[in-house]
C-alpha cells in the first residue's frame, strides 16, 4: 500500500565443489524477508565432464514466496539440462532444455557451431517451445549467423 515501507534481511551461502574432477556440483540456498512476507530460494548445478567429448550440466532453481492474506503464496521451479558435445576442434553442439513450472513451458534450444577460421564462426540455432501440460508446440525458430574476424 502507499506510504508503506519495508526492511529486507536475508541469509544465504554458496558452496562449489572442486571443478577439476569429472563430476562437480554447486549449491546456493538463501532465505529471508520478501516485502511483507518470507522468501526461500535454492539453486545449484550438477556437472559431469566426459573428456574430450563434452559435458552434461543440470541447473536447477526453486523459489518459494510466502505472503500474508490477501496475497497468495507462490513457488517457481526451473530445471535446465545443458549438453555440450565436441565433435572436432572446429565443430560443436550445445543443447539447452529448460522446464519452467510457472509458465508450464518446455524450451529446447540447440546450437551447432562451426569455427572455420580463428574468431570466425557459423552458427545454426534451432529453438522450440512447448506447453508442458499437453506437449503442444507454441513456437519454433531456425536462425543462422555468420561471423568473420577482420584483422587490419
Amino acid at each position: 500500500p502507499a506510504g508503506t515501507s519495508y526492511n529486507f534481511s536475508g541469509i544465504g551461502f554458496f558452496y562449489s565443489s572442486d571443478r577439476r574432477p569429472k563430476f562437480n556440483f554447486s549449491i546456493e540456498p538463501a532465505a529471508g524477508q520478501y516485502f511483507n512476507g518470507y522468501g526461500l530460494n535454492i539453486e545449484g548445478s550438477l556437472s559431469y565432464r566426459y573428456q574430450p567429448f563434452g559435458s552434461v550440466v543440470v541447473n536447477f532453481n526453486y523459489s518459494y514466496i510466502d505472503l500474508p492474506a490477501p496475497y497468495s503464496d507462490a513457488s517457481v521451479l526451473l530445471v535446465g539440462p545443458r549438453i555440450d558435445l565436441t565433435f572436432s576442434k572446429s565443430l560443436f553442439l550445445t543443447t539447452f532444455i529448460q522446464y519452467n513450472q510457472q509458465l508450464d513451458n518446455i524450451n529446447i534450444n540447440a546450437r551447432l557451431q562451426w569455427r572455420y577460421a580463428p574468431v570466425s564462426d557459423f552458427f545454426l540455432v534451432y529453438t522450440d517451445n512447448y506447453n508442458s501440460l499437453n506437449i503442444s508446440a507454441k513456437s519454433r525458430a531456425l536462425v543462422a549467423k555468420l561471423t568473420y574476424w577482420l584483422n587490419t
Side-chain angles (χ1 to χ4, degrees):
T4 305
S5 65
Y6 299 97
N7 293 316
F8 293 94
S9 64
I11 188 167
F13 74 92
F14 175 78
Y15 178 79
S16 179
S17 67
D18 187 351
R19 300 253 180 220
R20 292 174 291 182
K22 290 182 180 182
F23 177 78
N24 61 73
F25 68 95
S26 68
I27 190 159
E28 185 174 3
Q33 290 178 289
Y34 185 82
F35 290 96
N36 58 346
Y38 173 78
L40 172 68
N41 184 51
I42 184 165
E43 63 182 273
S45 68
L46 303 169
S47 177
Y48 180 75
R49 187 177 63 249
Y50 187 69
Q51 290 179 308
F53 303 108
S55 65
V56 176
V57 178
V58 177
N59 295 306
F60 59 90
N61 186 319
Y62 176 76
S63 295
Y64 176 75
I65 299 169
D66 183 19
L67 297 173
Y71 308 106
S72 60
D73 299 343
S75 64
V76 177
L77 173 65
L78 298 171
V79 179
R82 173 184 170 148
I83 302 166
D84 288 307
L85 297 175
T86 301
F87 300 111
S88 69
K89 291 182 179 182
S90 60
L91 190 61
F92 316 96
L93 177 68
T94 301
T95 302
F96 301 94
I97 302 169
Q98 185 181 57
Y99 168 68
N100 183 326
Q101 171 255 335
Q102 184 181 26
L103 299 175
D104 291 319
N105 190 66
I106 297 172
N107 173 266
I108 300 170
N109 185 302
R111 180 186 69 196
L112 184 66
Q113 177 182 359
W114 172 43
R115 179 156 297 146
Y116 60 90
V119 195
S120 301
D121 299 285
F122 173 74
F123 298 95
L124 189 61
V125 179
Y126 177 73
T127 300
D128 217 345
N129 279 290
Y130 293 95
N131 182 323
S132 64
L133 298 176
N134 60 12
I135 311 298
S136 61
K138 291 181 179 179
S139 64
R140 292 188 171 122
L142 182 64
V143 178
K145 176 182 176 182
L146 183 69
T147 61
Y148 182 76
W149 184 42
L150 298 172
N151 188 7
T152 57

